[in-house]
Amino acid sequence: MRLTTKGRFAVTAMIDLALRESHGPVTLAGISQRQHISLSYLEQLFGKLRRFDIVESTRGPGGGYTLARRADQVTVADIIIAVDEPLDATQCGGKGNCRGEDAGHGRCMTHDLWTSLNQKMVEYLSSVSLADLVKQQEGRVRVGEIRESKIKIEAPRASKTSAASAKKEVEAKKKPLANSVFTFAQQIN
């Protein structure tokens, strides 16, 4: 079982929306540019999310999308289910006819294993809220900003130090070694 791009893109777009909605409605064109997701694909996904009352749309200039409920009340499972993403690891779609439609064929030996996995996936995805994912992203952005500013601050220091040491090396190569106190005194002055 693997999550398709539909589910991944929907969750990614919702995180983007939740991160930016405090400044007003978020446009799908903006999400499309930032996340490199096709605008027409986002329109399809957000139509489904709107039908499940996960997002609201605002028309006109300054329009876009906002969350229909608080981010801590929207789970990843809500998003995945809204965009029709199947969360099923069984071969039979949970019907119990793993070996075929014929009456003589029943469930496969691993049917209960995959059914249990389905339940665990839904439980886990239901336990993760959009607010949790936003907090993770905000933490990453702050760490990234700190790293970038640290690199910018340390880089000039490193170049000054290396330039100064390189200059000393060049000067040391030019001057002959002092073989007397008088020659040493002349090199210092």
Side-chain angles (χ1 to χ4, degrees), residues 9 19 21 30 33 39 54 73 81 89-90 101 103 106 125 127 131 133 143 167-168 187:
F9 285 171
L19 281 166
E21 77 162 353
Q33 283 183 324
L39 180 59
I54 295 175
Q73 295 176 340
I81 291 166
T90 64
E101 295 292 327
L125 295 176
S127 74
L133 298 175
V143 168
K167 186 176 177 182
K168 286 179 184 178
Q187 287 181 349

Side-chain angles (χ1 to χ4, degrees), residues 49-62:
L49 292 165
R50 193 169 34 85
R51 283 190 286 277
F52 273 80
D53 294 322
I54 295 175
V55 296
E56 295 175 334
S57 62
T58 304
R59 294 178 182 228

Side-chain angles (χ1 to χ4, degrees), residues 88-101 105-108 110-112 114-115 118:
D88 188 11
T90 64
Q91 290 180 335
C92 62
K95 296 176 187 171
N97 59 350
C98 308
R99 295 184 181 166
E101 295 292 327
H105 301 286
R107 298 193 309 177
C108 66
T110 57
H111 181 83
D112 293 333
W114 304 129
T115 301
N118 290 345

Side-chain angles (χ1 to χ4, degrees), residues 1-137:
M1 191 246 126
R2 69 184 188 95
L3 200 59
T4 65
T5 55
K6 187 189 305 183
R8 292 176 193 277
F9 285 171
V11 172
T12 300
M14 289 298 294
I15 295 169
D16 188 292
L17 172 71
L19 281 166
R20 290 171 175 76
E21 77 162 353
S22 62
H23 303 294
V26 179
T27 64
L28 293 184
I31 295 172
S32 174
Q33 283 183 324
R34 286 186 296 273
Q35 304 306 325
H36 308 287
I37 303 171
S38 160
L39 180 59
S40 61
Y41 200 65
L42 283 173
E43 288 169 347
Q44 293 172 23
L45 294 175
F46 273 74
K48 293 176 180 184
L49 292 165
R50 193 169 34 85
R51 283 190 286 277
F52 273 80
D53 294 322
I54 295 175
V55 296
E56 295 175 334
S57 62
T58 304
R59 294 178 182 228
Y65 284 88
T66 55
L67 294 175
R69 31 188 163 144
R70 293 190 341 236
D72 63 346
Q73 295 176 340
V74 178
T75 67
V76 175
D78 294 335
I79 298 167
I80 301 288
I81 291 166
V83 297
D84 298 327
E85 182 71 66
L87 290 173
D88 188 11
T90 64
Q91 290 180 335
C92 62
K95 296 176 187 171
N97 59 350
C98 308
R99 295 184 181 166
E101 295 292 327
D102 297 338
H105 301 286
R107 298 193 309 177
C108 66
M109 291 188 288
T110 57
H111 181 83
D112 293 333
L113 170 69
W114 304 129
T115 301
S116 178
L117 176 60
N118 290 345
Q119 291 169 347
K120 297 294 181 191
M121 284 189 302
V122 171
E123 285 173 21
Y124 174 70
L125 295 176
S126 295
S127 74
V128 179
S129 73
L130 187 55
D132 297 332
L133 298 175
V134 167
K135 284 177 191 172
Q136 284 179 350
Q137 290 305 308

